[in-house]
Amino acid sequence: MSCQVRESVQTWIDMNPGYVHRLYDAHDRLEFVQQHYPQLLDLFQALPTNVERADFWRYLALHKLGGVYADSDVRCMQPISSWNAEHGHDAALLAGIAKRTLHGYTIEFNQFVMAAMPGHPVMASMPVVIASNFASSFLRGRAVSNQGLFHDAG
């Protein structure tokens, strides 16, 4: 069986030769949760869309394995080894800012590229945040959109 790798994924591989690159599909993500986080399986399966399950899974994967997560359509512009160089690469968690407002205090971290050490407490807290948002949306009688946008920006 042959596999076609998207150009953006190939760029990651070419630019970061010392890293192991893994691609996960929906079945792989389900198996990962079953194996490593069986206590969260019901929540994982209750999420209404595959997009939401993928979002949830990326936090679990970073919590368990550590490393770098990137969506398959994200193009790598510089080697991972150069990230955070200005701080001596001394960071247990890296996340980019996707949106910012200067005086309105709006800060939104992206989740399409993140890096974390295994067991990082932010990654450990994300299932609680997701479960809370998921439950509160239904308690407030809000519908879940087809993109899974049911939570408040906060």
Side-chain angles (χ1 to χ4, degrees):
M1 181 169 128
S2 67
C3 174
Q4 181 179 3
V5 178
R6 287 183 168 170
E7 180 183 333
S8 59
V9 175
Q10 191 61 50
T11 303
W12 282 91
I13 293 169
D14 293 344
M15 197 173 287
N16 300 290
Y19 285 77
V20 174
H21 298 81
R22 298 180 186 144
L23 299 175
Y24 291 82
D25 63 16
H27 182 262
D28 297 329
R29 291 188 298 268
L30 175 61
E31 283 186 347
F32 183 92
V33 175
Q34 288 171 328
Q35 180 180 0
H36 299 291
Y37 296 94
Q39 70 278 20
L40 297 174
L41 184 59
D42 288 342
L43 174 59
F44 179 79
Q45 291 179 311
L47 295 170
T49 68
N50 210 20
V51 170
E52 290 169 291
R53 288 185 290 278
D55 290 348
F56 184 60
W57 169 83
R58 72 187 68 188
Y59 298 117
L60 299 178
L62 282 173
H63 179 260
K64 179 69 179 175
L65 304 172
V68 177
Y69 170 86
D71 284 352
S72 63
D73 61 348
V74 172
R75 185 166 178 238
C76 190
M77 302 300 288
Q78 58 182 324
I80 295 168
S81 62
S82 70
W83 294 5
N84 201 37
E86 65 273 17
H87 299 287
H89 306 287
D90 185 20
L93 174 69
L94 291 174
I97 297 175
K99 180 167 115 180
R100 118 183 40 181
T101 303
L102 294 176
H103 301 291
Y105 303 107
T106 300
I107 295 178
E108 184 176 300
F109 294 100
N110 80 49
Q111 62 173 10
F112 51 85
V113 178
M114 299 181 292
M117 298 295 293
H120 194 281
V122 169
M123 296 301 135
S125 70
M126 291 311 295
V128 175
V129 172
I130 291 168
S132 175
N133 286 340
F134 183 69
S136 68
S137 70
F138 290 104
L139 290 173
R140 289 180 288 173
R142 294 175 65 195
V144 177
S145 73
N146 61 352
Q147 288 92 25
L149 301 175
F150 61 83
H151 58 279
D152 295 328

